[in-house]
Structure formats: structure tokens, C-alpha cells
Amino acid sequence: MDPLKALADAERKPYWLDSPAKPEPLPRLFGNTTADLAVVGGGFSGLWTALMAKERDPSLDVVLLEGRRIGWAASGRNGGFAMATLTHGIANGLERWPEEISTLERLGVTNLDEIGEAVARYDIDCGYERTGELHVATEPWQLEAMSEHAEITHELGVRFDILDQEQIRAEVNSPTYIGGQWERDGCAMLDPARLAWGLRQACLSLGVRIYERTPVRAMKDSQVSMDLLTPNGTVKAGKVALGTGVFQPLLRRLKHFLVPVYDYALMTEPLSAEQMDAVGWHNRQGVGDSANQFHYYRLTDDNRILWGGYDAVYYNGGKIKPEYEQRDETFVKLAEHFSVTFPQLSELRFTHKWGGVIDTCSRFSAFYGQAHGGRLAYAAGYTGMGVGATRFGANVMLDLLSGERTERTELRMVQEKPVPFPPEPVRSAGIQMTRWSIAQADLHQGRRNLWLRTLDRMGLGFDS
């Protein structure tokens, strides 16, 4: 495959959002209004919060404010892997909250079950398939880590089936695979944009008022209400839930814990029947390889292959800019890696290429909190695994706003904050050093250098 030729006709837009199913925009907010609960952000975090607030109490007056369009940011640009893990994988959870890992795994599986139930209940056409995920090894050192991981997961009652080279290639046929694991129950594949649009419709059906193209410019605490100021009106709310991810936070303290990391992806044209026969993939699992700089890939409804990951890019200074959503250097690299993984698909072309920004925190998994005397709650820092975990985070925010002590709010994971990132320019220097070190680890059998080992001891990390 010539990567430049394969990319020549690819459109510079997210595949999922380039769909005839995309609904017309809802009206902007004009004038002033009130609400019992105002939700800021129209991605998965905000949508699940608004929906479940109405499910808990149908009499609640709920308003959702979205600065652009529902699902336009990370929620509409990701790989569509809805994972059960709430901790960015069992290994990360064990390292940080070992005494809670069994509970966290149980809550995560329940959360994923309930996502599937909500998709069915609201008749959301998002291609939901509970296929699980293949974790593939392409180097011997990755197999060694998998063996230890399998023992731990077995003790926790999580199903990770060990596959040898022949078995893994029988699932998905790539000459690069030397073994792997099939996480049977912990992942569902879906179309993330159609899920967001379906959740939008579900919210509307329950009476949530949604205003698109209505950015919140400022927030004021009048003691009587939380006042959200938009370009053409104000919402006076009893309580506020923030689901704005990595974008300019209305709560200043959040900026110390979040950095914007850009992730990139390609989408192929649909595979022919012959090409599908050549690659196998009959069980339609999501796939992730096991390097530090990893790829993720999956099939769509019409048998395209989404191929993303590897480069996790932090632009010095931590700016978020539209031009960062396109990075030709990364697209060429991804196309080259695709051709190595699937040489039998050498004639395949890419139709879309895009990027998106991820809300990354130093512990790799979401953190939660309150402000303004408990009248505001937030969840952020999903670090690339928010398709499933945002629903759990929405429940945490609603629990916190209600003042209830629940199994969720009593978790140490929920009560603790990640280690903050240092200020610029130290932040940029440290992140770029970490990116270089991660790449070096992949070149040296996964061995982590002194810098990475020091960060591990400090509880700091960088991931996508």
C-alpha cells in the first residue's frame, strides 16, 4: 500500500459526524430562563446526566446547554469502544485502588449492561454490539505482561480468554499477531455519533430542554441560584452539572488537572466480501494492540475499518485549535502501520481522516468533585475511555448533587483527585519527555527508563 495514494481522496472530517442521520440543530437560547438542574456540555457526560436526572425524578426541570452541536467533540470523534472499565484498565485500577478493584469492576460491568438496556429502551439505532475486545500482542514482551494480567483477571472473575498465535489469527488475520486475549464481556462496539443523537432524542422525549449553539461564557453564584451566562440569555439554576471535558472550564480549579491530548484516526472504504474473507473478523470484536503507543481498530456496520491511535499529541502550551484536528504526518504513519498489519488489504483506500481532543489527567481515569456548597458537580479526565465511563460519571454527579451517600460516592476513587500537572512551561517539557520515553520503551522490550519509573512512583502519567 502506498500511504499517500491510499489517503489521496480521504475527506478531512470525522466519519461518524459525516452522516445523513445527523439531526437538524436545536434552537439557541434567547432570553432568560430557570431550571432545577442545568447541565453544561452536550457530549456523553452531559447527555447521560440530563437523561438520568429525568429518569430519577420526572418532575425535575432540566436544561442542557451545548456550545456547538450535540456530540460534535470527543463524543462524536472516538473509536466507538464502550468499555466496562472505569479505571482505564484493571492494571491501572489495581495500582491506584487495589482494595476497591473488585467493586469497581462490578460497577463497570453493571454500567455497561445498563448502557445496552438504555439503547434498547429508547430504541437508539447506534449499531450496538457487545462483542468484547481483542488485546493483541505483536512482540514477545507484550505476551509476558498478558500472562500475568490473565492470572489477576481470573481471580477477579473477569473473563479474559488467552489465545495463542493460531487462535488469535483465526479471529482476525494479521501476520503481526503472536498471541493475545479476548476480553469477552467488557466492551461493546457502537457508532458514537448516533448514540449521542439518540440520547439527545431520548432527553427531549422526557422533557429535557436542550439549547444548541449556546456556549456558557461565565458562571456566577448569586447565593439564590447558579447563573449561567450565554451570548443571548441567562439560565438561573438550582444546581449545575459540568460535563465540558477539557474545554475552558467554568470552574478554574479544573485546569490544573487536565491537559488536551490530540488523537487521530482513519476510516477505510467498505471491504468487499473477498477482502472480509481475507481478514476474517467474524466475531466483530474491537481490537487494540499492546504497545505503549497503541493502535485501536474496529469494523463499522458496513464493514469499513476504523484505524486510530498510536500518536498521542500534546501541543506545547496546551492550546486547543481547529487546525490541530488534522495532522498529515500522523495520517501517513497510521496508513503505513495499517498496511503492515493487513498486507492482504493493500488495495484498500481511506475515505476519512480526522483528529479530536481528549481530556487527559495524570491518573488516566475520571475524577469527580463539587463546588459552590454542593450545588455544582463535575466529572472530567476520562483519558480516552469515556464512551462507557461517562454514564457512571453522570450517576456520580447526580449522587453528589442529591447529597446522597451511595456506593459510588463512598469510593476512594471518587473522593480522591489526581496529581495536578505542573504549570507551563514545565508541563510541556515534561509531557514531551514522557512521550519520547514511551516511544523508547516500545523499542526496548517495554523497559521503562528512569523518567517513566519516577513518574510511576509519583502517580503521574500521560496517556490517551
Side-chain angles (χ1 to χ4, degrees):
M1 174 189 285
D2 177 349
L4 294 178
K5 184 179 178 182
L7 290 164
D9 299 322
E11 296 190 69
R12 294 182 178 273
K13 61 178 72 170
Y15 169 78
W16 306 117
L17 298 174
D18 184 25
S19 168
K22 186 175 184 177
E24 290 298 312
L26 293 165
R28 296 174 172 85
L29 173 65
F30 291 105
N32 300 331
T33 190
T34 62
D36 297 319
L37 172 66
V39 179
V40 184
F44 290 140
S45 191
L47 290 164
W48 283 118
T49 303
L51 181 67
M52 293 192 297
K54 291 293 284 186
E55 289 178 338
R56 291 186 181 200
D57 181 358
S59 70
L60 206 66
D61 184 16
V62 180
V63 165
L64 187 151
L65 303 171
E66 164 53 44
R68 294 181 63 173
R69 297 291 306 280
I70 293 295
W72 76 275
S75 296
R77 297 165 185 259
N78 59 78
F81 288 62
M83 298 179 179
T85 182
L86 304 175
T87 61
H88 208 276
I90 290 176
N92 189 54
L94 267 174
E95 182 180 331
R96 298 176 189 277
W97 308 286
E99 78 284 4
E100 293 181 347
I101 192 64
S102 294
T103 299
L104 290 167
E105 286 298 305
R106 173 177 54 79
L107 290 172
V109 170
T110 298
N111 181 64
L112 185 56
D113 290 342
E114 291 171 349
I115 289 174
E117 291 165 7
V119 166
R121 182 165 64 253
Y122 293 106
D123 196 24
I124 298 174
D125 178 16
C126 64
Y128 184 94
E129 296 181 284
R130 189 79 172 260
T131 59
E133 181 180 5
L134 293 176
H135 304 270
V136 301
T138 58
E139 298 284 347
W141 65 268
Q142 297 166 11
L143 278 181
E144 295 170 14
M146 281 185 178
S147 178
E148 180 181 352
H149 183 262
E151 293 178 12
I152 293 171
T153 57
H154 178 72
E155 291 181 31
L156 292 171
V158 181
R159 187 176 177 188
F160 274 76
D161 293 349
I162 299 293
L163 305 180
D164 62 22
Q165 184 179 81
E166 182 179 354
Q167 290 169 322
I168 195 76
R169 293 186 184 183
E171 292 297 328
V172 179
N173 185 18
S174 170
T176 64
Y177 299 169
I178 61 172
Q181 296 176 323
W182 185 352
E183 184 181 2
R184 292 273 184 171
D185 305 316
C187 185
M189 308 311 301
L190 51 81
D191 179 326
R194 281 160 47 200
L195 175 60
W197 299 331
L199 291 173
R200 183 187 92 148
Q201 183 56 43
C203 285
L204 292 172
S205 74
L206 296 189
V208 176
R209 291 181 287 145
I210 299 177
Y211 298 99
E212 292 189 90
R213 299 166 297 172
T214 303
V216 178
R217 301 297 193 197
M219 178 175 63
K220 295 181 179 178
D221 186 348
S222 72
Q223 303 305 316
V224 177
S225 63
M226 298 295 297
D227 299 346
L228 303 174
L229 284 61
T230 77
N232 301 298
T234 298
V235 178
K236 291 181 176 293
K239 295 178 180 178
V240 173
L242 290 184
T244 51
V246 77
F247 292 96
Q248 187 67 37
L250 293 169
L251 195 63
R252 212 172 309 171
R253 71 184 69 164
L254 297 182
K255 68 180 183 180
H256 303 297
F257 298 106
L258 297 169
V259 296
V261 174
Y262 279 82
D263 180 58
Y264 298 92
L266 305 174
M267 186 70 82
T268 73
E269 62 192 348
L271 275 65
S272 67
E274 292 76 17
Q275 288 169 325
M276 283 299 299
D277 286 342
V279 80
W281 221 333
H282 304 296
N283 290 308
R284 304 183 62 81
Q285 309 97 323
V287 184
D289 60 39
S290 303
N292 291 292
Q293 290 181 289
F294 62 91
H295 306 89
Y296 57 86
Y297 40 113
R298 50 81 55 94
L299 292 170
T300 64
D301 287 353
D302 60 348
N303 290 334
R304 299 169 184 262
I305 297 175
L306 180 147
W307 177 265
Y310 193 77
D311 277 345
V313 181
Y314 178 79
Y315 292 93
N316 288 342
K319 303 297 184 183
I320 298 174
K321 298 181 179 180
E323 53 263 39
Y324 292 163
E325 295 169 9
Q326 295 290 321
R327 193 169 191 261
D328 288 342
E329 173 189 352
T330 294
F331 295 143
V332 170
K333 191 183 300 180
L334 285 172
E336 291 172 344
H337 295 175
F338 182 91
S339 68
V340 171
T341 302
F342 295 121
Q344 67 271 47
L345 303 179
S346 61
E347 299 303 313
L348 207 58
R349 299 292 178 262
F350 298 102
T351 62
H352 293 74
K353 52 188 177 184
W354 73 93
V357 64
I358 292 169
D359 60 335
T360 293
C361 74
S362 64
R363 74 184 199 182
F364 309 149
S365 55
F367 61 95
Y368 316 89
Q370 291 177 278
H372 295 281
R375 289 177 296 148
L376 179 146
Y378 60 83
Y382 291 95
T383 317
M385 290 194 180
V387 178
T390 44
R391 184 183 178 279
F392 177 85
N395 264 320
V396 171
M397 286 194 283
L398 293 172
D399 289 350
L400 292 172
L401 290 172
S402 74
E404 297 177 37
R405 293 180 61 178
T406 68
E407 184 178 30
R408 287 181 287 260
T409 63
E410 294 301 295
L411 290 167
R412 187 162 65 87
M413 184 195 76
V414 168
Q415 296 177 356
E416 293 180 344
K417 299 293 184 291
V419 177
F421 290 101
E424 295 287 6
V426 176
R427 178 180 293 194
S428 290
I431 289 175
Q432 301 307 353
M433 178 64 179
T434 304
R435 292 184 66 229
W436 178 84
S437 297
I438 287 171
Q440 290 300 302
D442 282 338
L443 295 173
H444 295 88
Q445 291 78 51
R447 291 194 294 272
R448 298 171 75 79
N449 63 17
L450 178 60
W451 175 258
L452 292 179
R453 295 197 303 274
T454 301
L455 291 182
D456 292 341
R457 287 192 294 270
M458 295 171 62
L460 277 166
F462 175 80
D463 207 341
S464 64

